[in-house]
Amino acid sequence: MAGVTFQQSFPGTEDSDRNSIHDARSITSRKKDDVLRQELSAFQIFFIVISTVIGSGIFAGNGEALRAAGPGGLMVALTAVSLITIAMLEGLSEMIQLFAAPNALVEYVRYFVDEDLATLVGLAYWYSYAAVFQIQAATGAVFASYFNISQEVEAGVFYVAWPLSVVIINLFPVKYFGWIESLGGALKVVMLAVITFILFYLAGRVDNAGQDLSSGFQNDSETLFWFPALCLVIEFVAFSYIGIEVVGVTAYEARNLKDLRRPSKTIGYIVLLMYIIHTFSEIMVVDWNEPRLNVISNDVGQTTPVIGHQTFPILVVAAQKANDAGLAGVFTGLLIYSSR
């Protein structure tokens, strides 16, 4: 593209840590005053992505997917989405190492495809995250209804305090933002590991626990046949991977190429491993035909409330099967945190 100049992406790094191209180019030219602070370490980038990815999708959406497509369908859908995600990340990792750029996901389209399409992609990307943020806030409020708190408190916490806290955190320099999000991501990894361990423990303790993968593709016949159900639950499983591309957003703020390379290359495989183990632990405890699971209705995309009088997220159902109301409350609290 005519008129585009290139500049050093990672100043101050050793030669071995520079891009493979000697002049280590960025796609967009920037004035000196506009250059972002490049202060994020590999540790921070990894946990920023983890904090974005691990959310209510893996904990709440799996129950609906299990009920609709059976344990076999859930595992096939999760594996398929995971492999597609890894393939995407492999390509993105190469791009951000060769051409680190601010707002990379939009700039790549602008530079390599079309400027007008890049504008559309930028608007769509902003809109999707604006919508996801509202969905996550609403989901947290619905989870909180398990504790029978007042609507005024729900509104104050999830629709006022929550958005304000996000704005305040983003006002800090990237160094402090990186540490705040790294702490949040580390807590989510610990949370996922602890929940998975508890579910495996419950699988050996609860009577009539899940039937492992032996139920195959059995599913709720009132919803859909197994193959359309499998296709439908891919949507719910894919929601668990929202935010995985954030590694590209952080690329231009990495300290050097080495700090960018490690998380961009490994994050997809690590998330896949965590998700597969956790999903298997859920299947070990809860049957696909458990009546308390959230149900996908005959209208595509329409579901019962996440928490209602009769249906619950799969983690809460697992605790209820163990007749442990306290654990159900703890799981609900963790679900609220996961939706942040």
Side-chain angles (χ1 to χ4, degrees), residues 29-42:
S29 59
R30 294 276 171 173
K31 295 180 181 179
K32 185 175 180 180
D33 294 339
D34 294 335
V35 175
L36 298 175
R37 295 182 179 180
Q38 297 171 323
E39 299 178 346
L40 294 179
S41 66

Side-chain angles (χ1 to χ4, degrees), residues 149-160:
I149 62 177
S150 67
Q151 292 185 350
E152 291 77 11
V153 173
E154 284 186 11
V157 171
F158 294 99
Y159 301 120
V160 178

Side-chain angles (χ1 to χ4, degrees), residues 259-278:
D259 283 318
L260 177 60
R261 181 188 298 116
R262 285 179 292 179
S264 67
K265 283 289 188 182
T266 60
I267 188 69
Y269 297 96
I270 294 173
V271 172
L272 166 62
L273 180 62
M274 292 191 297
Y275 277 9
I276 289 289
I277 295 174
H278 175 76

Side-chain angles (χ1 to χ4, degrees), residues 318-336:
Q320 291 175 340
K321 291 190 69 172
N323 296 316
D324 193 332
L327 182 60
V330 171
F331 278 165
T332 303
L334 293 177
L335 284 170
I336 294 172

